[in-house]
Amino acid sequence: MSAIAPRRKGRPPEAPRRKGWCPGALRPMETGDGLIARVRAPRGRLSLDQAAAVAKGAIACGNRAIGLSALGNLHLRGLSERTLADLHARLSDARLIDADPEIERLSNIVVSPLDDLDPEALLDLSPSAAALETRLAENEDLRRLPPKFSFVLDALGRLPLADVDADIRFEASRDGMLAVFVAGEDALAAECAPAETGEVAARLGRAFIRLVGAGEDAPRRMRALVGRRGANAVFAEAGLAARPRVRSQRRASLSDLLGAHEFGANVVVGAAAAFGEIEAAAFKALIERARGLGASGLRLTPWRAFLIAGLDRQGAELMLGSIAGLGFIAGAGEPRLRIAACPGGPACMHGHRPVREDAARWAALMPKGEGVVLHVSGCAKGCARAAATAVTLTATGAGYDLILAGKAGDPPALRGLSNARIEALLASDGVRMFAGERPSP
């Protein structure tokens, strides 16, 4: 794996399971269909052997469902107390498990998926990612950071990460340096060399811990702290000089991600799964096909899609056929990609409805284009999408609440809608709602 921590053979010690926890492999979370565990791929990269180990683990130990997360990780569902030790052993053999659950908890790092292959990327971020992982593993004082505290390392290029939220963001510059931003402030930044990434992240992390203090009203994320104290106070507490600088707002396009694309001399094939959920047997078959075509590995992305690297042009064309035949998506125009939807009930104990079944029926009513415009959530937590969305449908005991330009827990424009009413609204008022206008009564 990465330099974040040494791996050990055998079965890691059993760790407590918690409800509502950000699940790791060592600390899975209870949900409606058993335990759910996160498998963190270092820098979002998996060898074909590692990918196959995950697929086999999902088949042998879970319910065959593999989720693609917004942090470029994989979630395995349907695990149990009986199968957890077997999964740990499989992940240990594949070097995909941390020795310490506290290190695993802090490893919320998203790195540009093709920084080493994309000729338009400004930096190869390997040294920066290694420095950050090492510092998070070694600095025990950083273990006081909140569980979802996250880092983004953006090389820009053809797959930039502006739409990926982070508490601390490192953005590559043409001079070989990194601009350092904190959430909540996009016009002020510090600067560091790639090798200093770990030290700068640690200083900002410790500054966050000192400034938030204790108490029930203490900010839990950097954005909240910056809103209360200002970014200048955070940089000053970290001993970093900051100056005015506007961070990039460039976002990746699905058309640059899905399908076959040349990145210099390299050919990469991108694929997605409806609502970010993969069937393990199909994933295993895809990996074996990729192996037969000479692929070198997989790259996970924060857009609930993955990339198959190391193919030649002929192999890429054959890979595209396999993707379609196994039920994966390789076209940016697929209407299901316009919807974000969690599993809902009964897979999730908080879900009021099986929302993915509803979302699949509503996909045909989506407007043409790219990007998520509809969020269907099983409850007010909104786990499938943290960002505000043009239209959000939040399941309740009385039907769906409809929220415009907001999140799952925001005040709704309409309450308690039936499926039939929603279908009528999407068919008649969909364009207006996606533009943020209130639907007709």
Side-chain angles (χ1 to χ4, degrees):
M1 193 170 169
S2 64
I4 189 167
R7 297 301 187 271
R8 58 190 182 195
K9 292 279 187 180
R11 298 179 178 179
E14 189 173 342
R17 263 71 67 200
R18 307 187 186 186
K19 296 179 181 180
W21 188 252
C22 185
L26 293 172
R27 282 182 176 164
M29 183 180 75
E30 292 182 37
T31 187
D33 57 357
L35 301 176
I36 180 173
R38 176 186 69 170
V39 177
R40 190 185 74 85
R43 297 192 61 194
R45 300 181 183 187
L46 293 169
S47 70
L48 296 181
D49 287 342
Q50 287 176 320
V54 172
K56 293 174 183 177
I59 293 169
C61 306
N63 64 4
R64 296 172 168 255
I66 303 174
L68 295 165
S69 85
L71 288 177
N73 300 308
L74 298 172
H75 286 171
L76 304 189
R77 301 188 67 93
L79 306 169
S80 69
E81 298 282 352
R82 180 180 59 82
T83 63
L84 194 59
D86 183 17
L87 178 69
H88 285 168
R90 291 170 182 270
L91 295 179
S92 180
D93 288 342
R95 298 181 61 82
L96 285 173
I97 196 167
D98 286 287
D100 187 332
E102 287 302 308
I103 296 174
E104 178 184 68
R105 180 181 68 82
L106 284 178
S107 301
N108 300 315
I109 305 170
V110 177
V111 186
S112 292
L114 296 178
D115 58 301
D116 58 333
L117 300 181
D118 182 0
E120 297 179 27
L122 300 185
L123 279 176
D124 181 338
L125 293 169
S126 298
S128 297
L132 176 56
E133 290 180 332
T134 298
R135 186 55 63 97
L136 290 175
E138 293 177 349
N139 278 33
E140 293 190 7
D141 52 344
L142 295 177
R143 299 180 186 184
R144 294 166 57 196
L145 289 170
K148 295 184 179 182
F149 200 90
S150 62
F151 306 84
V152 160
L153 281 69
D154 189 355
L156 298 177
R158 284 166 57 185
L159 298 177
L161 301 176
D163 58 333
V164 182
D165 195 25
D167 292 274
I168 299 173
R169 177 181 301 272
F170 295 87
E171 183 180 287
S173 303
R174 294 191 180 279
D175 61 2
M177 301 290 282
L178 290 163
V180 189
F181 298 87
V182 292
E185 177 55 79
D186 291 344
L188 189 71
E191 188 177 73
C192 72
E196 299 170 335
T197 304
E199 171 62 20
V200 169
R203 289 164 71 174
L204 285 169
R206 289 193 294 266
F208 174 88
I209 292 167
R210 290 192 296 268
L211 289 173
V212 297
E216 293 184 1
D217 65 340
R220 298 298 298 160
R221 299 294 295 273
M222 183 68 81
R223 186 176 301 276
L225 175 62
V226 169
R228 181 178 296 187
R229 301 289 298 270
N232 270 317
V234 177
F235 284 119
E237 183 69 22
L240 298 171
R243 60 182 178 83
R245 178 169 180 157
V246 178
R247 83 169 177 92
S248 171
Q249 297 299 317
R250 291 179 53 228
R251 302 180 176 213
S253 167
L254 282 178
S255 58
D256 280 335
L257 178 69
L258 301 182
H261 299 279
E262 294 185 11
F263 289 85
N266 301 282
V267 184
V268 175
V269 173
F275 314 124
E277 184 166 287
I278 297 171
E279 202 287 316
F283 191 45
K284 180 174 177 290
L286 190 73
I287 295 161
E288 293 309 311
R289 180 60 168 157
R291 192 190 305 276
L293 293 172
S296 59
L298 269 64
R299 309 285 178 96
L300 304 177
T301 79
W303 305 291
R304 291 189 167 92
F306 58 90
L307 302 164
I308 302 168
L311 298 165
D312 58 24
R313 289 181 180 85
Q314 181 180 9
E317 290 299 321
L318 294 171
M319 195 74 243
L320 285 175
S322 297
I323 285 171
L326 290 168
F328 293 92
I329 299 169
E334 163 62 49
R336 289 174 296 175
L337 298 180
R338 307 226 72 187
I339 306 176
C342 64
C348 174
M349 64 178 64
H350 302 289
H352 293 280
R353 291 184 58 83
V355 297
R356 282 184 179 161
E357 295 178 14
D358 294 336
R361 287 194 298 270
W362 298 332
L365 300 173
M366 294 299 98
K368 293 182 179 179
E370 289 188 18
V372 173
V373 294
L374 174 62
H375 175 195
V376 187
S377 182
C379 72
K381 292 172 63 179
C383 296
R385 185 168 171 84
T389 310
V391 177
T392 297
L393 293 167
T394 302
T396 71
Y400 279 101
D401 287 353
L402 184 148
I403 299 105
L404 298 177
K407 302 179 183 181
D410 289 347
L414 296 174
R415 296 181 183 273
L417 299 178
S418 67
N419 281 32
R421 176 65 173 139
I422 291 168
E423 290 178 15
L425 285 172
L426 290 173
S428 62
D429 286 8
V431 173
R432 293 176 58 245
M433 288 195 299
F434 293 128
E437 299 179 27
R438 189 179 180 89
S440 57

